[in-house]
Each structure stands twice: as C-alpha cells, then as structure tokens.
Amino acid sequence: MKTKSLMLSALILFGAVALSSCSTSSADSGLSSSLSPADFQKRFQEELIAAKPGSVIDVPEGRFQFDKTLSLTANGVTIRGKGMAKTVLAFKGQTAGSAGMLVKANDFVIEDLAIEDAAGDGLKTEASTNVTIRRVRVEWTAPLNEKNGPYGIYPVTSKNVLIEDSFVKGAADAGFYLGQSENAIMRRNRAEGNVAGFEVENCKNVDVYENTATNNSGGILVFNLPDLPVQGGELVRVFNNQVIANNTPNVAPKSQTVYNLPTGLGVSVMAIKNVEVFNNTIKDNNTANMHIVSYLSMNQEIKDKRYNPFVSNVYVHDNQFGGSGKNPDARLETVMMVAKVVGTPMPDILYDGLVEPGVDGKPGKAEAAKVCLSNNGEATFANFDAANKFKNVSRDIKKHQCSLPALAAITLPQAATKPMSGSAGGGQ
C-alpha cells in the first residue's frame, strides 16, 4: 500500500512537472501588465526577436503604449491577446515605423487583440505563407481623415491567408486590404467608417463572404491595377455579404488612387476577369449599388504592357438590391457625366460596356465580355456605353441574362471549417 502511494505520488508529481513544463514552453511570454510602458514595449519586441517555431506570445489584458513598429520575422509564431476589447496595443503618437505591427514570417497566427492609432498601416503581413488573423480589431479613434493610416489589416504578396471575425474602422484607404496575394478567405469581418471597406487587388483565388461593409465610402472592391509586380488577379467570389449604406465622404487626397472611389459605391468590379458575386444584400449606396467597369473609365494612362484593363467573365446573380444612386458623388466628373445620361437615382448596376478588342484590333463584341446578370430581383441596370461617349445607353438587362460556370471554393490548410460553396452560387 505504501509502495502504491509512493508510486501514485511520483506519478502526480511527474504529471505536475510535465504540465508546468508544457505551460512554460507554449504560452509563457513573460509579458505582464505590471511592467512600465517602456519596459512592456521593450519586452514585447524582445519576445518577437527571440521567438522560435511553436512560440506562443500571450499578451495580457490591458492597454499598452508603443512608439515604434513591432516586427516579427520568425516562422510559426502565435500572438494571442485576451480579446479585441481587452488587449489593446496603442500607437497614438508613434514616432518610428510605417505600421503598428509588421510581419514577414510564415505560419503566423494573431488573435484576440486590438491595434489602435498606428501612424501607418495597422497590421501588415508581407511575403508570408499561412497567415491567420482572427478576432483582431484595428481602429483609428479620430474621425475618418486623410491623416489616419491607410490600411487596417493588410496582407500583401502572401499566400494562404485567412482573415476572420475581425473589425476595422477609420482607415484612410482600405479597412481590409488584400494585395497581390493568392489563396485567401475573408469572412465574417466588419468594416465601418473607412474609405474602402474591403479591397481585393491583383489577387488570385479569393473568397469574400459573410462580411459587413457599412458607412464606408465604398463597400467591397475587386480589381486589378497596373504597375504592380503581381499582375493577373482573377477567380474571386463575393457572396453572402451585407453591403449597406456606404456613403461616408471619401477623404482620400487627390494624389491617391482611392480618391477615384466614388462615395456611395457598394460593390466595384474593375479590370478583372472571372469574378462571381452572389447572395449578397447590396442596398442604399448613394452613387450606385454596383458597378462593373474597365480601368479605362478612370482616364488614367497605362504604361504597363502586362496589364489588361478590361473586365470579362463576371457573373452577378441571386443578389438583393435596393435604394441605389440617390445622391451620386459630385466630386468626380465622370460620375456626374454618367448621372447626367442615366438619370438619378442611378441604377443598381452600372456597366461601362467597354469590351476588350479582338486579336485583329477591332472593337470587341458585347457578348465576348460575358458579363452575366441573373436572378437579381428587381435590380435596375444601365450600360452607359463609355466606348461611344454615352451615345447608346441601354437599360435592357435581358441582354445580360446568362450564366457562367461556378467558381471553385477556396480551401486553406489552416481553415478549420469546410470551404463555403454558397447555397445558391454557381453557374446554373
């Protein structure tokens, strides 16, 4: 009996030691809310520098002040707070660095914390593979103005990116910006009070679903731009989103591309092919609920010979539209020119009708663009015929009643749930 008791005690002791060892190696970051602000910042950056694959940096509850960018280059690191309202990394008055947090590392996870008032971007990941951003709030606490940071959550040139259940407010360019990346999911996020809510720029294989974009200048933008290293973005699905009343005035300076985003635009599809937009609620956006346009509509010179400025293979179906175009953005001459020819309120869906020329150089035919608009209820429509200076405006949506094959759902190695296929999505 005594021997059994000794053995039992030894097992319990061994177990306790094992548990203690496990806790220390996985989640004991050494960060404490009792540290002074200077010591906390110093300690946090030291943790990031010393991190090894498998490291978990726990950030305690509290508000912590930083005056320079936090940066991480080690692979396989998790940064975990106690919640978006409980763990706040505050950068107001930041004096060094172009972001609140900058990550260039693979297999990165950040969750359950907030980043406020960064001098530049809020959270930027660059050249990273397998990135998970979960329940992260990025916010500029001042009213939206051009001095706020440009991007809230900002993965660029990355692969296998998951952004979920997060929130961004006050970005002077885009709340959620996914740029030049491949294989990504943005889901269940909320963008409010930014210039653009969500941007997918020069990206391939992206799902954007179950997000809310409201009170931004524009809601969800899917597009390609020239002069960027990565070209040929395509294969983007936008579905099950709420894109409502994005009528906050665009404060971007004229020197920025996003200045050309009309205030009051719900969904934009520009200069990209193979896009499917379905099962969304898109309403009460004051310029238009949606436009489908070529980059040529921006009247910008194109020097990049790799760049294709036209849209094609765009399938918009099974969406709910309403309340479009009641107060088009008078800042932009092109918007007012279109408003003049189509009238106000502007239709739910605007299409510029610009089609890529054929290989013989002759103007392309409308059917070649394959812009399909089906089962969108009572949605109103206008093709404003930009190619011919608005001479032949057409409101006949029946010309675009067609379907395209469904785009494939995106799968990610780090996504816990099955890929969303969309209940009514897909070519029919």
Side-chain angles (χ1 to χ4, degrees):
M1 186 70 178
K2 187 176 180 181
T3 301
K4 288 183 178 179
S5 296
L6 287 172
M7 291 178 63
L8 181 60
S9 298
L11 287 171
I12 292 172
L13 178 60
F14 176 80
V17 170
L19 287 171
S20 175
S21 175
C22 179
S23 175
T24 300
S25 64
S26 66
D28 185 1
S29 67
L31 292 172
S32 169
S33 57
S34 64
L35 293 171
S36 70
D39 286 343
F40 191 94
Q41 175 174 261
K42 182 173 180 290
R43 179 70 176 174
F44 201 149
Q45 186 58 65
E46 288 174 348
E47 294 284 346
L48 294 174
I49 293 171
K52 306 293 184 185
S55 293
V56 177
I57 299 175
D58 272 342
V59 190
E61 183 174 339
R63 184 178 185 84
F64 308 103
Q65 185 67 41
F66 300 86
D67 63 10
K68 56 177 68 75
T69 296
L70 292 167
S71 56
L72 172 71
T73 57
N75 295 331
V77 175
T78 295
I79 299 174
R80 179 178 296 141
K82 299 300 182 186
M84 291 193 291
K86 294 180 177 179
T87 298
V88 179
L89 312 183
F91 289 85
K92 193 167 187 176
Q94 181 179 354
T95 57
S98 59
M101 183 173 291
L102 174 61
V103 177
K104 297 181 180 180
N106 301 327
D107 303 308
F108 170 68
V109 178
I110 185 169
E111 56 191 13
D112 294 310
L113 54 74
I115 296 171
E116 290 185 356
D117 297 318
D121 307 311
L123 168 63
K124 181 177 182 180
T125 70
E126 183 177 351
S128 303
T129 296
N130 299 339
V131 174
T132 300
I133 300 169
R134 177 180 296 122
R135 297 185 297 275
V136 171
R137 173 173 62 88
V138 175
E139 184 170 355
W140 284 268
T141 56
L144 180 61
N145 70 86
E146 64 180 274
K147 295 182 179 178
N148 286 357
Y151 301 115
I153 293 177
Y154 177 18
V156 64
T157 55
S158 295
K159 185 176 181 181
N160 297 338
V161 178
L162 174 64
I163 307 171
E164 61 183 7
D165 303 310
S166 295
F167 174 83
V168 179
K169 182 177 182 180
D173 193 315
F176 295 83
Y177 172 92
L178 182 69
Q180 303 179 78
S181 297
E182 183 173 352
N183 292 345
I185 294 175
M186 292 197 285
R187 63 185 181 189
R188 303 190 303 266
N189 303 291
R190 183 178 181 89
E192 182 172 352
N194 309 283
V195 172
F198 298 84
E199 289 188 3
V200 178
E201 178 182 297
N202 294 47
C203 294
K204 183 180 290 185
N205 297 324
V206 181
D207 274 352
V208 181
Y209 63 85
E210 296 179 1
N211 302 285
T212 297
T214 187
N215 293 326
N216 307 285
S217 306
I220 299 176
L221 320 179
V222 180
F223 59 98
N224 288 331
L225 288 182
D227 305 318
L228 293 171
V230 178
Q231 289 292 318
E234 62 170 334
L235 301 169
V236 180
R237 303 193 310 163
V238 178
F239 59 100
N240 295 352
N241 299 285
Q242 301 284 315
V243 187
I244 299 172
N246 290 284
N247 301 315
T248 296
N250 185 339
V251 299
K254 209 168 185 176
S255 59
Q256 301 296 318
T257 301
V258 77
Y259 172 86
N260 296 294
L261 170 66
T263 294
L265 182 61
V267 174
S268 172
V269 176
M270 184 184 79
I272 188 170
K273 62 182 181 181
N274 295 321
V275 176
E276 188 174 8
V277 180
F278 59 100
N279 286 356
N280 302 283
T281 298
I282 309 170
K283 64 180 185 179
D284 299 332
N285 298 288
N286 280 344
T287 288
N289 280 328
M290 183 173 189
H291 77 190
I292 303 167
V293 296
S294 161
Y295 182 78
L296 300 177
S297 292
M298 294 181 64
N299 293 323
Q300 301 287 325
E301 183 181 6
I302 301 173
K303 297 180 180 178
D304 189 342
K305 297 185 181 302
R306 304 167 302 160
Y307 182 65
N308 185 333
F310 297 95
V311 289
S312 63
N313 289 23
V314 177
Y315 188 19
V316 180
H317 61 96
D318 297 289
N319 300 284
Q320 295 183 31
F321 289 97
S324 175
K326 296 176 182 176
N327 185 21
D329 187 355
R331 287 180 312 124
L332 302 176
E333 182 182 4
T334 51
V335 170
M336 299 317 295
M337 290 170 67
V338 173
K340 185 176 180 180
V341 296
V342 304
T344 53
M346 300 262 268
D348 291 300
I349 305 172
L350 289 169
Y351 174 44
D352 66 4
L354 287 164
V355 180
E356 184 174 9
V359 291
D360 56 2
K362 294 182 179 179
K365 296 182 179 179
E367 54 270 28
K370 295 181 180 177
V371 173
C372 292
L373 313 171
S374 299
N375 301 323
N376 294 300
E378 300 300 319
T380 52
F381 166 78
N383 176 341
F384 54 86
D385 191 27
N388 297 299
K389 299 181 179 179
F390 316 123
K391 290 181 179 177
N392 301 303
V393 174
S394 171
R395 300 178 184 277
D396 188 0
I397 199 170
K398 293 181 180 178
K399 292 181 179 178
H400 295 274
Q401 286 186 346
C402 52
S403 65
L404 295 171
L407 298 182
I410 304 304
T411 59
L412 298 176
Q414 71 271 45
T417 57
K418 294 180 179 179
M420 288 286 292
S421 59
S423 59
Q428 298 163 20

